[in-house]
Amino acid sequence: MAYPRKWLEGVNSDEFERSQMDKLRWLLSPTPFDGRLMSHSQLTGTVKEIGPRLTFKTAYCTNALSALSAAGIEEVTRLERTIRYQFVGGPIPDDDILLEVAGDRMTECIYTDQIDFTPIRGREKVLEIDVLGDPTNLDKANEELGLAFDAHDLLYYKDLFVNKFKRNPTDVELFDLAQSDSEHSRHWFFRGSLIIDEKQRKVRYGLGCSGIRNKRAFFV
């Protein structure tokens, strides 16, 4: 069974309880007369929680903080929604499997008892992906980093780094390639040749009135 939950950060419990809690309860309740909103979980047994990654605020958080500020509540610095899963009987999935099935690995994570929304200071180390020693490491990185390279991309980048550059790519480079060389950015499909009604047609990009290339394609 799944239950929604909201996380608050930045409040002093005792002082906030006295001054703002009634107003906050009213704002967060599904309806003004809903009494189901509780400050502590009532779930028992095995409970796992999936929510936004701790290191960045979601759009929901930004909008919620704006609403709280308009209501005169300035003490809250973070408010996020999560889903808690209660397991009653049957096998309990591993965290990785649960996140794969019920969450989004790119934007969400499994929450533990020690939740800390404090931003991470400093940078992570840049990692090299050893394709010179074993080209299949690029396939592994593609899965682990969520790069979404297709089979053609993998063959192309293996050849590029192994045979032409003769060096290993870094994870930063791979993330950049995954974004800047994607269909979303490059429009490989729309710039190719399409077969429509058994006729090959090229696709060109038109120029808008301002002279800036837009994303509206037309057939010729």
Side-chain angles (χ1 to χ4, degrees):
M1 292 179 284
Y3 300 86
R5 186 184 191 188
K6 294 182 174 68
W7 278 93
L8 291 174
E9 183 191 48
V11 300
N12 179 290
S13 299
D14 295 335
E15 181 180 348
F16 191 81
E17 186 78 35
R18 291 191 299 269
S19 61
Q20 302 282 28
M21 187 55 75
D22 289 342
K23 186 187 297 185
L24 184 64
R25 286 180 182 276
W26 187 86
L27 288 169
L28 296 183
S29 296
T31 70
F33 309 103
D34 194 309
R36 293 176 295 169
L37 185 67
M38 295 172 287
S39 58
H40 296 86
S41 174
Q42 305 297 311
L43 301 182
T44 59
T46 301
V47 177
K48 295 193 176 188
E49 186 170 11
I50 296 179
R53 288 186 176 273
L54 307 180
T55 51
F56 63 89
K57 294 180 180 179
T58 63
Y60 170 84
C61 177
T62 301
N63 292 330
L65 294 183
S66 296
L68 295 184
S69 178
I73 301 177
E74 303 288 351
E75 296 89 343
V76 179
T77 59
R78 184 85 179 262
L79 194 158
E80 298 288 4
R81 292 182 298 185
T82 67
I83 297 292
R84 308 188 82 210
Y85 294 88
Q86 182 184 35
F87 296 91
V88 181
I92 300 173
D94 294 334
D95 288 353
D96 290 341
I97 295 177
L98 178 62
L99 189 60
E100 182 74 25
V101 173
D104 182 344
R105 290 187 303 163
M106 180 177 292
T107 61
E108 296 179 315
C109 64
I110 299 288
Y111 282 27
T112 64
D113 293 335
Q114 304 298 324
I115 298 297
D116 184 6
F117 286 105
T118 303
I120 296 176
R121 300 187 182 278
R123 298 180 179 180
E124 295 183 5
K125 292 183 179 180
V126 176
L127 301 177
E128 281 194 2
I129 310 302
D130 183 18
V131 297
L132 295 180
D134 184 358
T136 61
N137 284 329
L138 185 60
D139 300 77
K140 297 176 183 177
N142 186 41
E143 291 294 327
E144 294 173 358
L145 301 178
L147 301 175
F149 289 150
D150 60 22
H152 179 272
D153 293 330
L154 291 170
L155 289 174
Y156 177 80
Y157 292 129
K158 287 175 185 177
D159 177 66
L160 182 68
F161 284 98
V162 173
N163 299 319
K164 295 182 180 179
F165 292 164
K166 300 184 185 302
R167 66 172 178 84
N168 291 322
T170 66
D171 56 348
V172 177
E173 289 175 313
L174 294 180
F175 273 118
D176 182 84
L177 289 171
Q179 298 300 317
S180 60
D181 213 30
S182 65
E183 171 64 27
H184 177 78
S185 298
R186 293 285 190 177
H187 303 289
W188 299 112
F189 176 80
F190 286 112
R191 293 198 303 174
S193 296
L194 304 183
I195 305 298
I196 301 177
D197 295 332
E198 299 183 354
K199 295 181 180 180
Q200 180 172 320
R201 301 188 182 186
K202 291 185 178 180
V203 180
R204 295 179 181 175
Y205 279 90
L207 290 176
C209 295
S210 63
I212 300 175
R213 287 186 179 273
N214 57 36
K215 295 182 180 179
R216 179 170 53 84
F218 57 89
F219 298 106
V220 294

